[in-house]
Amino acid sequence: MTDLTTLLEVGGPLVALGGGAAYARTKYPAAYWSTVGLPISVVRLLGSYGSVMEACGLTVAPSRWRALAVKATTRREVRPVPPRRGIIRPTSTGLRLRLRLAPGQEPADVAASAERLRHAWGVHAVYVTPVKPGVIELRLVGFDVLRRVRMPRKLDAGLLRVPVALREDATPFVRDYRTIPHQLTLGATRSGKSMYLRHLITGLARQPVALVGIDCKRGVELAPFADRLSALATDPEQAAELLPVLVKEMEDRYDLIKARQNIAPGTPAEKITSDIWGLPESERPVPVVVFVDEVAELFLVTTKKDEERRDEMVTQLIRLAQLGRAAGIYLEVCGQRFGAELGKGATMLRAQLTGRVCHRVNDEASAKMALGDIAPEAVAAACAIAPERPGLAVAGDTSGGWSRIRTPCLSLGDAARICQESAHLVPDVPALKPFRPDVPDVPAGSVEIPMPVVQPLPATD
């Protein structure tokens, strides 16, 4: 009886602790990492760093002076030298440490062994980032941060910069329009494409930016944000009227830039500009971001007469993509599929869209349309996105780099509320006033009047 009592007293808490840790690892991975996973991984890294580096082939022969010093002082066998390790910095999602590479090594050598390092140190993933020549940063991620997305609290935002998703290495994915002016976003139905668009709109809604929407699905995607939109077209006919106005606005801005360039020969070089960002703030026109949802609706035609209108709209979109950056006009083109079969000009327009985001698609050809011409190895990653993970996407650009990202959940009601609260920030762009969407007032009968806290008593004589 005494042995059973002792077993229950000792084993009961251990079983409860182990079960609680297993439950936290499944349901609350961030809490498990901070309490259990982080100390274990640090001990593994410190205790096996040299042997793991040697097993991965990341060690080099020591210098002659180091070998002589070891033999003279310890008389031990001279072993290969691993990269010099910096201070281990824990984070809420993993670990970070810097390595100084040995002579003859390059970052690609460490990146090739990332999978081995992951298993040796018991973490979810290992990523290698060059810092400067001879120095790299190892980012160890303790758990799958894309399973339940939690954006970092401190985000580097700014004008035309929107932290819209989380990368698989636990860093924020920031949509920077001044760096990547135009982008193509593809995704099948219920792939998370609309969620990505909501985050972009709500992020820009709080900034002094004019938002223009072209939603040929009768406005079902962009109409809830009408309070913050400067212009909205809900069918191809309205889009055919809006696009020439945007092109004319772009040309007027180029005239403004040219007038600024016509200056005296003795003017300092910093006052000469080739885009709106070099203009004085008092003269600088407001940036314009154009959202085109379901771009295929602009290409599809049913009659011969519609073909002329289609060709004009495509030409105007191409002009905006080619020349809009300097005028502060940026394109965000979305759709389920965007290839040459849409018609004349589709491939040329796609070539002008620097950024690419591909959500889950229905076939490999759609993934190739988005990523095949900039990062062929990312096509397989886009095709492997499961339907059970909406919002997961592969983001790349024309530099060839790519990464997996996932947007956090944002309901349509919350996004519409943010746009309503930011309605006073709609800038004054005279050319877009005829296309400003009508925002209906709330009917008086639909407002729910709260009941008073204190019920009135009937008057008595």
Side-chain angles (χ1 to χ4, degrees):
M1 188 66 181
T2 305
D3 296 339
L4 180 59
T5 303
T6 305
L7 180 61
L8 292 175
E9 291 177 351
V10 177
L14 292 178
V15 172
L17 184 62
Y23 178 80
R25 185 173 187 176
T26 304
K27 297 296 183 180
Y28 304 98
Y32 173 83
W33 167 257
S34 300
T35 56
V36 180
L38 177 61
I40 293 177
S41 296
V42 170
V43 171
R44 284 177 177 172
L45 195 153
L46 293 176
S48 62
Y49 177 76
S51 59
V52 168
M53 287 293 172
E54 185 175 1
C56 293
L58 298 176
T59 56
V60 296
S63 63
R64 182 181 304 176
W65 295 108
R66 183 185 180 95
L68 292 176
V70 170
K71 290 181 178 180
T73 55
T74 62
R75 298 185 181 277
R76 294 182 304 176
E77 179 184 0
V78 179
R79 302 182 61 85
V81 180
R84 192 165 63 186
R85 186 187 70 243
I87 299 175
I88 299 176
R89 290 171 290 177
T91 66
S92 60
T93 57
L95 298 170
R96 289 189 300 170
L97 69 154
R98 290 190 176 185
L99 302 182
R100 181 172 293 278
L101 299 178
Q105 291 182 332
E106 61 175 352
D109 298 334
V110 184
S113 302
E115 190 67 14
R116 301 189 213 177
L117 299 178
R118 178 180 81 86
H119 288 284
W121 293 331
V123 294
H124 177 74
V126 175
Y127 299 96
V128 179
T129 304
V131 178
K132 59 182 180 179
V135 178
I136 62 172
E137 182 179 72
L138 282 183
R139 182 182 292 271
L140 282 65
V141 180
F143 55 93
D144 185 5
V145 296
L146 299 184
R147 189 177 68 176
R148 185 180 300 171
V149 178
R150 296 176 60 185
M151 297 294 289
R153 294 182 180 179
K154 296 182 179 179
L155 297 173
D156 184 16
L159 183 61
L160 293 173
R161 287 174 54 89
V162 182
V164 68
L166 189 69
R167 298 181 187 269
E168 58 184 346
D169 62 352
T171 59
F173 174 75
V174 180
R175 176 73 175 95
D176 189 350
Y177 284 91
R178 295 188 62 179
T179 303
I180 301 178
H182 313 302
Q183 181 169 277
L184 173 64
T185 303
L186 294 185
T189 303
R190 302 191 65 82
S191 64
K193 183 172 81 278
S194 298
M195 193 76 65
Y196 181 87
L197 193 62
R198 290 176 200 170
H199 280 276
L200 281 179
I201 293 176
T202 54
L204 292 171
R206 302 182 178 95
Q207 303 182 16
V209 178
L211 304 181
V212 176
I214 299 177
D215 182 7
C216 292
K217 295 189 299 183
R218 299 298 177 183
V220 295
E221 290 289 347
L222 299 181
F225 317 122
D227 297 84
R228 185 56 181 85
L229 297 180
S230 298
L232 176 63
T234 59
D235 54 50
E237 290 78 10
Q238 295 180 6
E241 298 175 1
L242 175 59
L243 287 173
V245 174
L246 291 173
V247 173
K248 182 62 169 57
E249 176 70 16
M250 179 185 67
E251 293 173 349
D252 293 342
R253 296 186 177 196
Y254 268 100
D255 292 338
L256 179 63
I257 296 172
K258 288 168 58 179
R260 184 68 181 178
Q261 287 178 331
N262 189 17
I263 54 180
T267 304
E270 58 271 11
K271 293 187 177 182
I272 302 175
T273 181
S274 61
D275 55 29
I276 65 168
W277 303 107
L279 298 174
E281 189 173 354
S282 58
E283 302 178 12
R284 185 185 308 154
V286 65
V288 178
V289 180
V290 182
F291 295 94
V292 183
D293 188 68
E294 207 55 64
V295 66
E297 291 294 325
L298 297 179
F299 284 84
L300 300 178
V301 295
T302 56
T303 63
K304 194 73 174 179
K305 182 180 178 181
D306 293 339
E307 291 185 3
E308 298 180 1
R309 184 188 64 195
R310 187 270 310 273
D311 294 342
E312 292 178 2
M313 288 191 297
V314 173
T315 302
Q316 289 153 359
L317 277 175
I318 293 174
R319 292 193 64 193
L320 289 174
Q322 289 179 334
L323 307 174
R325 183 205 61 82
I329 299 178
Y330 309 97
L331 292 181
E332 194 75 32
V333 180
C334 305
Q336 297 187 34
R337 185 180 176 90
F338 192 38
E341 69 274 8
L342 290 179
K344 183 175 63 175
T347 303
M348 187 175 182
L349 175 60
R350 187 181 63 189
Q352 302 295 328
L353 306 177
T354 306
R356 308 289 176 85
V357 174
C358 183
H359 293 77
R360 179 180 56 83
V361 290
N362 294 324
D363 56 352
E364 184 181 0
S366 298
K368 289 182 177 179
M369 292 174 189
L371 303 168
D373 55 344
I374 61 171
E377 64 275 8
V379 174
C383 294
I385 297 176
E388 295 79 15
R389 282 202 169 187
L392 189 64
V394 176
D397 53 54
T398 51
S399 65
W402 64 276
S403 61
R404 293 181 182 87
I405 64 171
R406 193 179 188 188
T407 51
C409 182
L410 177 64
S411 66
L412 182 60
D414 291 339
R417 178 182 52 80
I418 293 174
C419 291
Q420 291 174 0
E421 295 173 352
S422 307
H424 64 283
L425 296 177
V426 176
D428 183 18
V429 183
L432 299 179
K433 282 186 177 180
F435 303 93
R436 179 79 191 275
D438 295 329
V439 181
D441 297 331
V442 180
S446 64
V447 179
E448 183 179 353
I449 301 176
M451 296 295 294
V453 177
V454 180
Q455 296 293 335
L457 298 176
T460 57
D461 295 332

PDB file of all heavy atoms in Angstrom, residues 100-115:
ATOM      1  N   ARG A 100      30.032  33.239 -37.842  1.00  0.00           N
ATOM      2  CA  ARG A 100      31.103  33.774 -38.689  1.00  0.00           C
ATOM      3  C   ARG A 100      31.713  32.594 -39.441  1.00  0.00           C
ATOM      4  O   ARG A 100      32.311  31.707 -38.846  1.00  0.00           O
ATOM      5  CB  ARG A 100      32.151  34.493 -37.859  1.00  0.00           C
ATOM      6  CG  ARG A 100      33.287  35.091 -38.698  1.00  0.00           C
ATOM      7  CD  ARG A 100      34.190  35.965 -37.859  1.00  0.00           C
ATOM      8  NE  ARG A 100      33.509  37.158 -37.404  1.00  0.00           N
ATOM      9  CZ  ARG A 100      33.339  38.258 -38.127  1.00  0.00           C
ATOM     10  NH1 ARG A 100      33.830  38.307 -39.375  1.00  0.00           N
ATOM     11  NH2 ARG A 100      32.712  39.302 -37.636  1.00  0.00           N
ATOM     12  N   LEU A 101      31.539  32.623 -40.751  1.00  0.00           N
ATOM     13  CA  LEU A 101      31.985  31.504 -41.562  1.00  0.00           C
ATOM     14  C   LEU A 101      33.498  31.400 -41.569  1.00  0.00           C
ATOM     15  O   LEU A 101      34.217  32.409 -41.501  1.00  0.00           O
ATOM     16  CB  LEU A 101      31.471  31.665 -42.996  1.00  0.00           C
ATOM     17  CG  LEU A 101      29.939  31.699 -43.156  1.00  0.00           C
ATOM     18  CD1 LEU A 101      29.571  31.908 -44.617  1.00  0.00           C
ATOM     19  CD2 LEU A 101      29.310  30.429 -42.626  1.00  0.00           C
ATOM     20  N   ALA A 102      33.961  30.160 -41.665  1.00  0.00           N
ATOM     21  CA  ALA A 102      35.396  29.916 -41.765  1.00  0.00           C
ATOM     22  C   ALA A 102      35.869  30.230 -43.181  1.00  0.00           C
ATOM     23  O   ALA A 102      35.062  30.272 -44.120  1.00  0.00           O
ATOM     24  CB  ALA A 102      35.703  28.465 -41.409  1.00  0.00           C
ATOM     25  N   PRO A 103      37.152  30.483 -43.366  1.00  0.00           N
ATOM     26  CA  PRO A 103      37.664  30.747 -44.722  1.00  0.00           C
ATOM     27  C   PRO A 103      37.339  29.600 -45.671  1.00  0.00           C
ATOM     28  O   PRO A 103      37.529  28.430 -45.352  1.00  0.00           O
ATOM     29  CB  PRO A 103      39.174  30.893 -44.505  1.00  0.00           C
ATOM     30  CG  PRO A 103      39.321  31.318 -43.080  1.00  0.00           C
ATOM     31  CD  PRO A 103      38.209  30.639 -42.344  1.00  0.00           C
ATOM     32  N   GLY A 104      36.805  29.961 -46.836  1.00  0.00           N
ATOM     33  CA  GLY A 104      36.447  28.962 -47.836  1.00  0.00           C
ATOM     34  C   GLY A 104      34.996  28.540 -47.798  1.00  0.00           C
ATOM     35  O   GLY A 104      34.546  27.808 -48.677  1.00  0.00           O
ATOM     36  N   GLN A 105      34.244  28.983 -46.781  1.00  0.00           N
ATOM     37  CA  GLN A 105      32.837  28.631 -46.692  1.00  0.00           C
ATOM     38  C   GLN A 105      31.965  29.747 -47.264  1.00  0.00           C
ATOM     39  O   GLN A 105      32.385  30.908 -47.343  1.00  0.00           O
ATOM     40  CB  GLN A 105      32.435  28.367 -45.238  1.00  0.00           C
ATOM     41  CG  GLN A 105      33.038  27.114 -44.643  1.00  0.00           C
ATOM     42  CD  GLN A 105      32.578  26.882 -43.216  1.00  0.00           C
ATOM     43  OE1 GLN A 105      32.248  27.817 -42.486  1.00  0.00           O
ATOM     44  NE2 GLN A 105      32.569  25.633 -42.796  1.00  0.00           N
ATOM     45  N   GLU A 106      30.729  29.405 -47.638  1.00  0.00           N
ATOM     46  CA  GLU A 106      29.760  30.365 -48.143  1.00  0.00           C
ATOM     47  C   GLU A 106      28.397  30.046 -47.540  1.00  0.00           C
ATOM     48  O   GLU A 106      28.171  28.936 -47.032  1.00  0.00           O
ATOM     49  CB  GLU A 106      29.687  30.317 -49.667  1.00  0.00           C
ATOM     50  CG  GLU A 106      29.255  28.973 -50.233  1.00  0.00           C
ATOM     51  CD  GLU A 106      29.091  29.024 -51.741  1.00  0.00           C
ATOM     52  OE1 GLU A 106      29.160  30.125 -52.301  1.00  0.00           O
ATOM     53  OE2 GLU A 106      28.880  27.958 -52.355  1.00  0.00           O
ATOM     54  N   PRO A 107      27.461  30.998 -47.577  1.00  0.00           N
ATOM     55  CA  PRO A 107      26.143  30.738 -46.985  1.00  0.00           C
ATOM     56  C   PRO A 107      25.431  29.538 -47.582  1.00  0.00           C
ATOM     57  O   PRO A 107      24.660  28.857 -46.886  1.00  0.00           O
ATOM     58  CB  PRO A 107      25.378  32.039 -47.264  1.00  0.00           C
ATOM     59  CG  PRO A 107      26.443  33.094 -47.364  1.00  0.00           C
ATOM     60  CD  PRO A 107      27.621  32.406 -47.979  1.00  0.00           C
ATOM     61  N   ALA A 108      25.667  29.259 -48.864  1.00  0.00           N
ATOM     62  CA  ALA A 108      24.996  28.111 -49.485  1.00  0.00           C
ATOM     63  C   ALA A 108      25.398  26.797 -48.835  1.00  0.00           C
ATOM     64  O   ALA A 108      24.606  25.846 -48.811  1.00  0.00           O
ATOM     65  CB  ALA A 108      25.309  28.087 -50.980  1.00  0.00           C
ATOM     66  N   ASP A 109      26.615  26.710 -48.290  1.00  0.00           N
ATOM     67  CA  ASP A 109      27.044  25.487 -47.614  1.00  0.00           C
ATOM     68  C   ASP A 109      26.189  25.210 -46.376  1.00  0.00           C
ATOM     69  O   ASP A 109      25.784  24.064 -46.120  1.00  0.00           O
ATOM     70  CB  ASP A 109      28.518  25.591 -47.217  1.00  0.00           C
ATOM     71  CG  ASP A 109      29.434  25.748 -48.421  1.00  0.00           C
ATOM     72  OD1 ASP A 109      29.033  25.291 -49.514  1.00  0.00           O
ATOM     73  OD2 ASP A 109      30.515  26.334 -48.281  1.00  0.00           O
ATOM     74  N   VAL A 110      25.889  26.264 -45.610  1.00  0.00           N
ATOM     75  CA  VAL A 110      25.062  26.098 -44.415  1.00  0.00           C
ATOM     76  C   VAL A 110      23.609  25.861 -44.803  1.00  0.00           C
ATOM     77  O   VAL A 110      22.909  25.054 -44.190  1.00  0.00           O
ATOM     78  CB  VAL A 110      25.197  27.324 -43.498  1.00  0.00           C
ATOM     79  CG1 VAL A 110      24.417  27.125 -42.205  1.00  0.00           C
ATOM     80  CG2 VAL A 110      26.672  27.593 -43.182  1.00  0.00           C
ATOM     81  N   ALA A 111      23.123  26.569 -45.838  1.00  0.00           N
ATOM     82  CA  ALA A 111      21.741  26.395 -46.274  1.00  0.00           C
ATOM     83  C   ALA A 111      21.485  24.966 -46.754  1.00  0.00           C
ATOM     84  O   ALA A 111      20.393  24.422 -46.562  1.00  0.00           O
ATOM     85  CB  ALA A 111      21.409  27.396 -47.369  1.00  0.00           C
ATOM     86  N   ALA A 112      22.486  24.340 -47.371  1.00  0.00           N
ATOM     87  CA  ALA A 112      22.325  22.963 -47.836  1.00  0.00           C
ATOM     88  C   ALA A 112      22.177  21.979 -46.686  1.00  0.00           C
ATOM     89  O   ALA A 112      21.612  20.891 -46.860  1.00  0.00           O
ATOM     90  CB  ALA A 112      23.497  22.571 -48.725  1.00  0.00           C
ATOM     91  N   SER A 113      22.666  22.351 -45.517  1.00  0.00           N
ATOM     92  CA  SER A 113      22.570  21.469 -44.339  1.00  0.00           C
ATOM     93  C   SER A 113      21.478  21.890 -43.381  1.00  0.00           C
ATOM     94  O   SER A 113      21.439  21.407 -42.240  1.00  0.00           O
ATOM     95  CB  SER A 113      23.917  21.456 -43.593  1.00  0.00           C
ATOM     96  OG  SER A 113      24.972  21.028 -44.423  1.00  0.00           O
ATOM     97  N   ALA A 114      20.571  22.760 -43.808  1.00  0.00           N
ATOM     98  CA  ALA A 114      19.526  23.265 -42.911  1.00  0.00           C
ATOM     99  C   ALA A 114      18.620  22.150 -42.407  1.00  0.00           C
ATOM    100  O   ALA A 114      18.229  22.132 -41.229  1.00  0.00           O
ATOM    101  CB  ALA A 114      18.712  24.340 -43.624  1.00  0.00           C
ATOM    102  N   GLU A 115      18.297  21.183 -43.268  1.00  0.00           N
ATOM    103  CA  GLU A 115      17.418  20.094 -42.845  1.00  0.00           C
ATOM    104  C   GLU A 115      18.099  19.218 -41.799  1.00  0.00           C
ATOM    105  O   GLU A 115      17.452  18.757 -40.839  1.00  0.00           O
ATOM    106  CB  GLU A 115      17.015  19.269 -44.060  1.00  0.00           C
ATOM    107  CG  GLU A 115      15.927  18.247 -43.804  1.00  0.00           C
ATOM    108  CD  GLU A 115      14.586  18.872 -43.482  1.00  0.00           C
ATOM    109  OE1 GLU A 115      14.426  20.088 -43.715  1.00  0.00           O
ATOM    110  OE2 GLU A 115      13.701  18.148 -42.976  1.00  0.00           O
TER     111      GLU A 115
END
